[in-house]
Amino acid sequence: QKTEEINSPSKHYLESWNEGISKSTIQEFVKKTTTVGSPDFVPEKDRIAVFDNDGCLWSEKPFYFQLAYAIDFVKKEAPNHPEWENSPALKSAMEGDINGILAKGEHGIIEVVMASHTGMTAEEFSQNVKDWLATAKHPETGMAYNQMIYQPMVELLSYLRANGYKTFIVSGGGIDFLRVWAEEAYGIPPYQVVGSSIKAKYEEVDGKKAIVKTPELNFIDDKEGKPVGIHQHIGMRPIIAAGNSDGDYQMLEYTTQGSGPRLGILIHHTDSEREFAYDSLSHIGNLKKGLIDGPGLGWVIVDMAKDWSQVYPK
Amino acid sequence: QKTEEINSPSKHYLESWNEGISKSTIQEFVKKTTTVGSPDFVPEKDRIAVFDNDGCLWSEKPFYFQLAYAIDFVKKEAPNHPEWENSPALKSAMEGDINGILAKGEHGIIEVVMASHTGMTAEEFSQNVKDWLATAKHPETGMAYNQMIYQPMVELLSYLRANGYKTFIVSGGGIDFLRVWAEEAYGIPPYQVVGSSIKAKYEEVDGKKAIVKTPELNFIDDKEGKPVGIHQHIGMRPIIAAGNSDGDYQMLEYTTQGSGPRLGILIHHTDSEREFAYDSLSHIGNLKKGLIDGPGLGWVIVDMAKDWSQVYPK
Ligand SMILES: [Ca+2]
Ligand SMILES: [Ca+2]
C-alpha cells in the first residue's frame, strides 16, 4: 500500500533541505531502494534506518543536554542529599560548574549521571525528565531543549517512514532519557530507541511491582558499541545510518559494508551563525576520521550551513 | 485509519478459538481498549502486547526446540571439534543423549548452547538456524519445528495487530534464534523480539566488519528478568501479556499491575491428544503459582483442549 507514497513527488518531505548533492543523493537512494523492479530494490521489511541523536537530530553544545538535565537534578535534590557534599563531582554539579565535573573525567560524569538517573523507578525518572523539559531553557538560545531539534532531520525521518523505512535512534546518550520525548519530537516510539543504559531490577515499591533503575552501567552505546547495540536491539544490519561524530564511525561502517545498496550520512557542523561550528578539535561531537574517510567511502557529508535552509523548527 | 477494522466483526480473526469465556474475555478487552469514547480506551501508541514463545506460541515438548537445534549442531560439527570429546555434556549431545546433558544441570545446557551459538558471526548463526529448520523434524510428530506453532495464537497476534496493538515476543529462549523465523511464523519482526542473549562484539571477519557471537551470557530473560527485558527493549509497561509457565509470572504481574485496563493470559496445556498435557509437575514449562493465583488476579486461563478447535496450522 506504499506504492502511491513512493511514487509521489518527495520534495515536500525535505522542505528545509537546499538543492544540492546531499539532498539529491538521499532522494536518489530512497527512490532506487523503494522502486519495484529497480536492481537496488529493498523489501520493506529490510528498510532499517538508524540515527545518532546528539548533534545529529538535536544540538549538543555547549555540552550534552542530558548532562544539563543531570546537573539541574542534582541542584534541585541537593538539600535532600547532604552526603553529596563529599563528592567533588557532585559538589561541582550543585554549583553548576560544568568544568569542575569534566575535570574529574568520565568518572565525574558517571557520578553525576548515577545520582540523577538511579535509585528511582523508571516511571519516576520519566516524569522528572518531562517536568524538566517543560521548564528548562538552553543557556545560549533560551529555547526549550526539545525545541532545538533539527527541522531538516525531522523531515528526513518522515520522508523515510513515508517510503516504508523504519526509523531508529541509536545514541550514545541514555536510552530512558531519550524515550521520554523522542516520540513527540521525532515520531520514534520508545521501542525504536537504542542507547546507553544502566541496569534495572524488578521489585516492589509502595506495594506495587516496578522497574527500579540501579547505579550500575549496563551498556555503552558508542563507537564499536553501536553495531553491537544495533544487533542486540534491532537484530538487522541497517540500510541507512546517520551520525555526526567519530563515535558513529563504526555504525556507518557496519551499515555501509552490508551487501546491496547502503547509505551513510554524516552531519558536519559548519554553521556558527544558526547553530555551532565544530569538528576535529571539539571534545563533544569530535569528527575527524569520518571527514577524512567518509567521502572515499561514499558517505554523504551534510554541510549544515549550505545544505539546510533552516535549522530549528519555526 | 484503524476505525473500520476496530468496528468490523472480529470473529474471523479468532477462527480456531471455540466460543467460551477465554475468547469472549479477550474480545471484550480488545473492544473496550480500542473503542473511542470507551472509559477504557487506550491510545494506539500505548497498545503493547507481549507474548512468551516456548509453550505459548509453539510447542516445547519433549524439550525446548532450541536445545534440539543445539544438539543437532553439535552432532554435525563434532568431527571438526575433537576437543568436545573432553566435555561430558558435549559428548552426551553428540550421542543425542538429552538426559546426559540435563544431568549436568544448567551448566550442561549452557555448554551445549555456547558450542552451538558462539564463535561465529550473527549472519552465519542465522543461516545455520535457517538450514536446520528447513530439514529437521520433531521426534514425535514428524513435523518441521516451525510448523508446530499454535494456530489460535497466530490468529490472536493478527487480531491484536488489526486493532492497533504492537506485538512483541518476550522469551526465555535465545533472541537471535527466534529472530530467524519469528517474522515468517508470527509476523513479528526481529526488532520486536526480546529474549535471552549472549554477548557480541564488532570485529573484522574475512576482511569485512561483522557481529561475532561470544561465549558469555549477556541477559537471562526469564522470571524477574522478563519485566527488566521489557523495560530495556520496549521501554513501556505492556497492556496485554501472555505466557504459559511460572517463568512468565512476573511479566503478567508487571503488566496487570499497571493502571487502567490490563489483560493477563496463561495457556494451560491440557491437551494430551493434540499436543501435550502438563503443568505443575513438568520441569519444562512448569506452571503452578500462575494456576493458583491467576484466576484471582483476573488472568484468563486458556484451556487448550476446550478453548482451541485446532492446535497447529492445517
Ligand atoms: Ca553525536
Ligand atoms: Ca514458556
Side-chain angles (χ1 to χ4, degrees):
Chain A
Q1 72 273 32
K2 290 272 185 272
T3 318
E4 271 181 272
E5 281 166 347
I6 289 164
N7 294 332
S8 74
S10 47
K11 66 179 194 296
H12 68 281
Y13 282 109
L14 301 175
E15 275 184 331
S16 307
W17 289 74
N18 293 321
E19 296 307 319
I21 188 76
S22 295
K23 181 175 181 174
S24 63
T25 303
I26 291 169
Q27 286 176 316
E28 281 156 26
F29 184 86
V30 170
K31 193 172 179 194
K32 74 180 181 182
T33 55
T34 58
T35 302
V36 180
S38 153
D40 289 317
F41 179 75
V42 174
E44 194 163 330
K45 72 177 184 56
D46 295 327
R47 291 183 208 154
I48 302 293
V50 292
F51 288 79
D52 171 55
N53 182 53
D54 296 302
C56 181
L57 297 181
W58 77 349
S59 292
E60 59 184 345
K61 291 279 181 176
F63 50 84
Y64 300 126
F65 296 175
Q66 188 177 358
L67 190 52
Y69 168 75
I71 291 171
D72 284 352
F73 183 89
V74 169
K75 280 186 196 166
K76 181 168 68 82
E77 290 296 316
N80 303 321
H81 293 274
E83 75 281 8
W84 288 353
E85 291 279 344
N86 303 323
S87 148
L90 292 175
K91 213 158 175 304
S92 296
M94 284 177 222
E95 293 157 2
D97 171 15
I98 177 72
N99 291 322
I101 301 169
L102 297 177
K104 306 285 155 216
E106 195 175 84
H107 180 74
I109 294 175
I110 289 176
E111 215 179 332
V112 175
V113 167
M114 290 303 182
S116 54
H117 286 60
T118 73
M120 62 191 85
T121 68
E123 270 108 350
E124 286 165 342
F125 175 74
S126 295
Q127 193 55 54
N128 289 341
V129 174
K130 258 181 219 149
D131 293 346
W132 178 77
L133 282 173
T135 55
K137 301 286 178 210
H138 187 275
E140 298 184 24
T141 66
M143 294 167 72
Y145 287 99
N146 54 348
Q147 290 300 310
M148 291 179 69
I149 58 178
Y150 303 139
Q151 177 64 22
M153 297 305 280
V154 172
E155 293 168 7
L156 177 55
L157 291 166
S158 299
Y159 172 60
L160 292 174
R161 287 194 294 263
N163 281 281
Y165 277 88
K166 290 268 169 189
T167 54
F168 291 82
I169 291 172
V170 177
S171 171
I175 189 167
D176 289 350
F177 180 79
L178 271 155
R179 280 168 164 167
V180 175
W181 53 274
E183 187 143 31
E184 197 186 316
Y186 309 129
I188 295 179
Y191 43 86
Q192 285 169 218
V193 175
V194 182
S196 296
S197 57
I198 54 176
K199 291 207 185 285
K201 57 186 176 181
Y202 180 64
E203 62 178 26
E204 193 163 307
V205 178
D206 300 331
K208 232 173 139 178
K209 289 294 177 68
I211 295 293
V212 174
K213 292 165 70 66
T214 61
E216 196 187 339
L217 283 174
N218 182 53
F219 183 70
I220 300 291
D221 192 51
D222 195 30
K223 300 193 172 69
E224 63 284 350
K226 289 207 171 191
V228 172
I230 288 169
H231 170 68
Q232 303 283 26
H233 283 259
I234 306 177
M236 300 167 76
R237 202 187 277 242
I239 302 295
I240 298 174
N244 77 301
S245 81
D246 284 349
D248 301 310
Y249 191 95
Q250 288 88 346
M251 174 168 85
L252 266 70
E253 177 187 62
Y254 176 60
T255 298
T256 57
Q257 283 195 0
S259 58
R262 307 278 165 162
L263 184 63
I265 301 170
L266 279 176
I267 308 300
H268 189 193
H269 288 262
T270 52
D271 196 327
S272 63
E273 292 193 12
R274 297 181 301 177
E275 208 238 1
F276 306 93
Y278 58 97
D279 48 35
S280 65
L281 299 178
S282 175
H283 182 65
I284 285 172
N286 184 274
L287 176 63
K288 188 172 178 183
K289 191 169 159 59
L291 280 183
I292 295 168
D293 297 353
L297 294 167
W299 299 351
V300 173
I301 313 293
V302 173
D303 181 331
M304 275 181 73
K306 212 173 109 232
D307 289 332
W308 291 358
S309 64
Q310 191 180 333
V311 174
Y312 302 125
K314 272 184 189 119
Chain B
Q1 72 275 34
K2 291 274 186 268
T3 318
E4 271 181 90
E5 282 166 344
I6 288 162
N7 293 333
S8 73
S10 47
K11 66 177 194 297
H12 69 283
Y13 281 107
L14 301 175
E15 275 184 330
S16 306
W17 288 75
N18 292 322
E19 296 307 318
I21 187 76
S22 295
K23 182 176 181 172
S24 63
T25 303
I26 291 170
Q27 286 176 317
E28 281 157 26
F29 184 86
V30 170
K31 193 170 179 195
K32 75 180 180 181
T33 55
T34 57
T35 302
V36 180
S38 152
D40 289 317
F41 179 75
V42 174
E44 194 164 330
K45 72 176 185 58
D46 295 326
R47 292 183 206 155
I48 302 292
V50 292
F51 288 79
D52 172 56
N53 181 53
D54 297 302
C56 182
L57 297 180
W58 77 348
S59 292
E60 59 183 344
K61 290 281 182 176
F63 51 84
Y64 298 126
F65 296 175
Q66 188 178 358
L67 190 52
Y69 168 75
I71 291 170
D72 285 352
F73 183 90
V74 168
K75 279 185 195 166
K76 182 167 70 80
E77 289 295 317
N80 303 322
H81 292 274
E83 75 281 9
W84 287 355
E85 290 281 343
N86 302 324
S87 148
L90 292 175
K91 215 159 174 307
S92 296
M94 284 178 220
E95 294 158 0
D97 172 15
I98 178 73
N99 291 323
I101 300 168
L102 297 178
K104 308 283 157 216
E106 195 176 83
H107 180 76
I109 294 176
I110 288 176
E111 214 179 331
V112 174
V113 167
M114 290 303 181
S116 55
H117 286 58
T118 71
M120 62 191 86
T121 66
E123 269 107 353
E124 286 166 343
F125 176 74
S126 296
Q127 192 56 53
N128 290 340
V129 174
K130 260 182 216 149
D131 293 347
W132 177 78
L133 282 172
T135 55
K137 302 285 177 210
H138 187 273
E140 297 182 26
T141 65
M143 293 165 75
Y145 287 99
N146 54 348
Q147 292 300 312
M148 292 179 69
I149 58 179
Y150 303 140
Q151 177 62 24
M153 297 305 279
V154 172
E155 292 168 8
L156 176 55
L157 290 167
S158 299
Y159 171 61
L160 291 174
R161 288 194 293 261
N163 282 281
Y165 277 89
K166 289 270 169 186
T167 54
F168 291 81
I169 292 172
V170 177
S171 171
I175 190 168
D176 289 348
F177 180 80
L178 271 154
R179 282 170 164 166
V180 175
W181 53 274
E183 184 142 32
E184 198 186 315
Y186 310 129
I188 295 180
Y191 45 87
Q192 283 168 221
V193 176
V194 182
S196 296
S197 58
I198 54 175
K199 291 206 185 283
K201 59 187 172 180
Y202 180 65
E203 61 179 25
E204 193 165 308
V205 179
D206 300 332
K208 231 173 140 179
K209 289 295 177 66
I211 295 293
V212 173
K213 292 167 68 66
T214 62
E216 196 187 340
L217 284 174
N218 182 55
F219 184 70
I220 300 291
D221 192 51
D222 195 30
K223 298 190 172 72
E224 65 283 352
K226 288 205 172 194
V228 173
I230 288 169
H231 170 69
Q232 303 283 27
H233 282 259
I234 306 176
M236 300 167 76
R237 203 187 275 241
I239 302 293
I240 299 176
N244 76 300
S245 81
D246 284 348
D248 301 308
Y249 191 93
Q250 288 87 346
M251 174 168 83
L252 267 70
E253 178 187 62
Y254 176 60
T255 298
T256 57
Q257 282 194 0
S259 58
R262 307 280 165 159
L263 183 64
I265 302 171
L266 279 175
I267 309 300
H268 189 195
H269 288 262
T270 52
D271 195 327
S272 63
E273 293 193 13
R274 299 181 301 176
E275 209 241 2
F276 307 92
Y278 58 96
D279 48 34
S280 66
L281 299 177
S282 176
H283 180 67
I284 285 172
N286 185 274
L287 177 63
K288 189 171 177 181
K289 190 169 160 58
L291 281 182
I292 295 168
D293 297 351
L297 294 167
W299 299 352
V300 173
I301 314 293
V302 173
D303 181 332
M304 275 179 75
K306 212 172 109 235
D307 289 333
W308 291 358
S309 64
Q310 191 183 333
V311 175
Y312 302 124
K314 273 189 191 119

